[in-house]
Structures are given as structure tokens and as C-alpha cells.
Amino acid sequence: MRHSHDDFGHEHHHHGRGGEHHGGGRRQRFFGHGELRLVILDILTRNASHGYELIKEIESMTQGNYTPSPGVIYPTLDFLQDQAFITISEEEGGRRKIAITVAGQHWLDENKEHLEHIQARITARCVGFQLRKNPQMKRALDNFKAVLDLKVNQGEISDAQLKQIIGVIDRAALDISQLD
């Protein structure tokens, strides 16, 4: 492999414009180990692309909540090329055109279920980001997490109490799902 460091899926977060964080400073990685490879291959099934376009497509897919840096994209592309999952050809003007290979399509097909989980998680995370932009919703969620943390993690909790808490959460979820 051309790179000694493992940047595949271990993104360095660039927090969009102005470097703002979403949430309480601690931010989960958008993609787990190796997941960015699947996302890139999936994008390439729709059209051949360039590195910058891949970055923009991922940013768009995550509704601007995650923009992979060139330091994440290019080592991942190197890996995919080393595996013969993509071809990279020079175009006029020095741009590099990236296309998926038959082997890449085969690997993507083998990991279709994992890709669907990634896509569902991206959708859910984007909905969550939209919700947390509302100050009242953010306050309510933060309050809920704080109370839950205090109750569950700070003291001895019986099985009966845990069952009650789970019941409250399930009822709240049901109430929300039944709103018009």
C-alpha cells in the first residue's frame, strides 16, 4: 500500500464553514472503518467522477454535515485502485477521471447489505442534525440525555427501574409516531 497511515474510514472532521461543531463537541465519525470505500464505489456506479466531485457528492449526501478532506478521499482512492476496484485515468487539463471496475462492482454487490445500513444511518443522522438545529428540540434532547445519564449511570439501578425507564421511552416513541 502506498500510505503508511490508515485513513480509510478514519476521517479527520472538517466541521463545515467556520469550524462549528454539531452537538456537544464530541462528534461520532460519519463512516466506520472501510465504509467510505463502499460509499465512493456506490457513487461511481452512477457516473465516473473526479476527487473533488466525490467530496461534493458526499457533502451533499450528508446534507452538509460531513465533508471528507482530500487527506481522507485520496488515500481511500489509492486503496481502491490498489485493489483494482477503480481505474484512474488522466484527462486533458490534468484532472483524474475515476471509474468503477467490474471487480469493484462485484465487491460492492457483495457488500450491498452493509451499504444499505450505511445509507439508512446517513439518513437518520441527517434527520437528527435537522432536529437539533431547533433550539427547543436541542434543549429537550439534552435534558432527556442528562436525566437518563444521571438515573442509569450515576447510581445503582434495579432491573425493575430499568424496565420502567425502557417502558417510558417506548411509550414516548409510540406517542411521537402516532402524532398527525
Side-chain angles (χ1 to χ4, degrees):
M1 222 165 33
R2 262 172 270 179
H3 297 275
S4 59
H5 58 299
D6 178 16
D7 253 339
F8 313 119
H10 296 271
E11 288 83 356
H12 307 288
H13 289 291
H14 294 270
H15 299 288
R17 301 145 238 16
E20 81 270 19
H21 293 266
H22 300 279
R26 235 185 23 219
R27 189 156 132 187
Q28 298 165 273
R29 287 204 320 254
F30 229 96
F31 298 109
H33 179 73
E35 291 184 339
L36 190 59
R37 303 169 192 170
L38 288 172
V39 170
I40 288 172
L41 287 177
D42 182 53
I43 293 168
L44 293 173
T45 62
R46 293 186 287 281
N47 58 342
S49 197
H50 303 91
Y52 177 75
E53 289 165 351
L54 287 170
I55 290 170
K56 287 293 155 205
E57 178 70 22
I58 292 165
E59 183 178 46
S60 164
M61 181 189 302
T62 63
Q63 297 178 16
N65 292 300
Y66 174 66
T67 306
S69 67
V72 168
I73 287 289
Y74 290 105
T76 303
L77 292 174
D78 287 345
F79 173 85
L80 292 170
Q81 188 178 28
D82 290 345
Q83 298 297 308
F85 291 161
I86 61 170
T87 56
I88 300 178
S89 54
E90 293 291 327
E91 282 186 321
E92 281 183 42
R95 285 175 59 146
R96 295 166 37 174
K97 188 174 186 172
I98 305 156
I100 190 168
T101 63
V102 172
Q105 182 63 61
H106 182 69
W107 188 68
L108 187 61
D109 292 342
E110 285 176 2
N111 290 280
K112 189 172 178 50
E113 204 173 301
H114 191 169
L115 179 65
E116 287 167 4
H117 288 301
I118 296 166
Q119 290 166 333
R121 198 176 67 232
I122 289 171
T123 302
R125 297 263 309 265
C126 289
V127 168
F129 284 132
Q130 292 306 314
L131 275 178
R132 286 188 293 279
K133 285 181 182 174
N134 176 305
Q136 291 294 29
M137 177 60 81
K138 183 179 180 338
R139 182 206 51 74
L141 287 170
D142 287 346
N143 185 36
F144 178 72
K145 284 192 286 195
V147 168
L148 203 56
D149 183 55
L150 266 172
K151 197 75 179 161
V152 176
N153 296 329
Q154 308 300 325
E156 291 299 312
I157 186 165
S158 70
D159 288 346
Q161 287 173 311
L162 189 59
K163 229 177 180 165
Q164 282 181 302
I165 291 169
I166 292 167
V168 168
I169 294 169
D170 285 342
R171 283 192 303 279
L174 184 62
D175 288 351
I176 291 169
S177 74
Q178 293 177 340
L179 293 172
D180 289 332

